[in-house]
Amino acid sequence: MGYKVSREDMDNIFSRMKERYKIYAPKRGLKYIRYGEINALSEIVYDEKSDFSPKEVFYPIVQTLLYFTEDTCTESAPGDARDILLFLRPCDMNGIRRLDTMFLKNGGQADNFYARLREKVKFIMMECREGFETCFCVSMGTNEARDYSAAVRFDENGVFLDVKDPELTPWFLEQPENDFKPEFIRENEKHVRVPQIPDRSMLKSIHALDFWHSFDEKCISCGSCNTVCITCSCFDTADIIYNETSRDGERRRMWSSCMLDNFTTMAGGHGVRGSAGERMRFKTMHKIYDFKARFGEENMCVGCGRCDMRCPKDIHFSETIDTLAGEMEKLKDGKVKES
Ligand code: SF4
Ligand code: SF4
C-alpha cells in the first residue's frame, strides 16, 4: 500500500516507532556521511551518496564474541532487543544479499554473531533514480531491488512510501493513500565493462598480466577501499586480557582488509601476497570472478562506487575492472603482455 506522509507526521511516527525499532540512516558527520541512528526525517541525507556503507549497523567494526575466564566461556549477548529499520539504496540491498551469502551460506554453517543482528533488519529502500558520479550499479546489474519492507521517495514536504511489510502497515493507516511505486536508475554516467571469465583455464594468464604491477607503486595498501565496501566481509580476531596478571578477558572480532600488507602473514612471517599489485589482483578477482564461480549467478561487486570515492591515491576500482576486461579481450586475441 502507498502513502504520502508529511515531514511532521513522519517525525511523529518515528518517535512512536522508537519503542519497537532502532532507526538507522545515512547522516552527516563532521567530515563524512555515515550510518547512524536517527530521530527525525531531516537527519537523513538522501541527496548525496554516503561515504560509508550500511553494513556497520549489523556487522559492527568491533564486536565482542565471547567472554572467558580460566575455566569458563560465555557467549556475548546481542544487546538491544529492538528490531532495526535501515534506510538504504538498491545497490546496498543487493550488497547485503552477498554479505548474507558469505556469512550464512559459506561452509555450510551460519555465523551466529552475524545472523543474530542481521535477522533484526528491515529494509527501507531509498529510491535512487539518478545515481552519483562514481556509481556503476547498472553495469553490475544491481540497480534494482524489490525485496524491501518499505520503499521511500523524499521531497521537500515529506515522503512517499510503498509499504509491503504487514508489520509496518499499522503505523501509516491514518496517512493519505497514494499509488507511489519506486523507480530505478537505468543508466549511470559511468559504464564499466565487466570481465567475462568463463572458466579456470584463463586464470594463469590473468594472474601473469603486467597490468597488476601498475598498482605496486601507486597503491599504499591502506585498506580504505575495503572499509567502505558493502560486500567486504573479512575480519580478524583478538583475545583481549583485562590486565597483566589476569586470565580473564574477551574475544573480539574486528574488520580487516585484504589490501593490508600483513593480511596474509602467517606464523613464521611468511605472507602469500607480498606486493600491492598482488593484493589488488586478489581483490579484483574476488569481486568479479571467485564469488560468482563459487556461489553462481552474481558478481560480488555491486558498483556502489564508494571505493572510488575513498581511495587517497585516486585508484578507481571501476577502471580496474574495465581495464581488466580490455586485457581479457587482448588475451583472447593473443596480444597481451604477461610478466
Ligand atoms: S568493490 Fe567498490 S564499487 Fe564494488 S561493492 Fe565494493 S566499494 Fe562498491
Ligand atoms: S586501492 Fe586505494 S584505498 Fe585501496 S588500499 Fe590501495 S590506496 Fe588504499
Side-chain angles (χ1 to χ4, degrees), residues 218-226 259 280 283 307 310-313 315:
K218 198 167 182 195
C219 170
I220 56 172
S221 303
C222 65
S224 298
C225 47
N226 298 115
M259 297 300 281
M280 180 60 87
K283 183 181 87 166
C307 52
R310 191 77 191 96
C311 178
K313 301 298 285 182
I315 295 169

Side-chain angles (χ1 to χ4, degrees), residues 33-45:
I33 301 168
R34 183 171 173 180
Y35 273 76
E37 226 180 318
I38 57 138
N39 297 299
L41 200 61
S42 58
E43 290 180 78
I44 302 175
V45 179

Side-chain angles (χ1 to χ4, degrees), residues 10-230:
M10 199 64 213
D11 286 349
N12 286 333
I13 291 168
F14 278 159
S15 73
R16 280 183 277 127
M17 278 181 151
K18 295 287 273 187
E19 279 190 21
R20 174 85 180 77
Y21 302 103
K22 293 172 88 171
I23 307 170
Y24 285 89
K27 291 169 74 170
R28 193 174 301 285
L30 283 177
K31 193 164 175 197
Y32 298 112
I33 301 168
R34 183 171 173 180
Y35 273 76
E37 226 180 318
I38 57 138
N39 297 299
L41 200 61
S42 58
E43 290 180 78
I44 302 175
V45 179
Y46 62 85
D47 51 0
E48 292 175 59
K49 177 155 60 181
S50 66
D51 294 282
F52 289 81
S53 87
K55 71 181 176 187
E56 65 184 294
V57 171
F58 53 90
Y59 172 38
I61 298 170
V62 179
Q63 185 177 26
T64 298
L65 306 183
L66 52 91
Y67 300 90
F68 56 82
T69 64
E70 188 160 358
D71 46 22
T72 65
C73 180
T74 314
E75 188 175 313
S76 63
D80 200 310
R82 288 175 292 171
D83 283 342
I84 293 168
L85 299 183
L86 181 58
F87 283 76
L88 76 178
R89 297 181 190 279
C91 60
D92 286 331
M93 282 180 61
N94 284 305
I96 291 170
R97 202 171 65 243
R98 285 133 173 93
L99 274 186
D100 289 349
T101 299
M102 291 300 288
F103 280 106
L104 304 176
K105 298 177 189 159
N106 194 13
Q109 180 151 3
D111 180 312
N112 175 45
F113 300 100
Y114 177 87
R116 69 188 193 184
L117 281 175
R118 174 66 183 86
E119 65 194 12
K120 288 173 172 286
V121 177
K122 289 181 184 293
F123 293 142
I124 312 297
M125 191 191 74
M126 301 196 293
E127 185 187 52
C128 198
R129 286 183 289 178
E130 291 170 11
F132 303 94
E133 192 186 343
T134 62
C135 300
F136 55 102
C137 56
V138 176
S139 299
M140 301 311 293
T142 57
N143 50 318
E144 283 190 37
R146 299 186 186 274
D147 188 18
Y148 51 79
S149 289
V152 59
R153 175 186 294 170
F154 296 84
D155 80 3
E156 61 275 15
N157 301 315
V159 293
F160 295 89
L161 286 165
D162 175 27
V163 182
K164 284 187 182 175
D165 186 334
E167 203 180 281
L168 296 184
T169 307
W171 300 96
F172 300 100
L173 289 178
E174 292 173 9
Q175 302 301 318
E177 290 183 10
N178 189 280
D179 58 4
F180 166 70
K181 292 285 175 209
E183 294 171 14
F184 299 94
I185 186 167
R186 296 291 167 211
E187 192 166 0
N188 300 125
E189 281 175 41
K190 201 176 274 275
H191 298 266
V192 172
R193 292 172 293 169
V194 182
Q196 301 301 322
I197 306 172
D199 56 49
R200 297 180 61 82
S201 62
M202 294 187 78
L203 295 186
K204 211 167 167 190
S205 303
I206 295 169
H207 190 283
L209 285 172
D210 212 23
F211 156 67
W212 302 116
H213 291 302
S214 64
F215 298 100
D216 286 344
E217 289 298 316
K218 198 167 182 195
C219 170
I220 56 172
S221 303
C222 65
S224 298
C225 47
N226 298 115
T227 304
V228 297
C229 178
I230 182 64

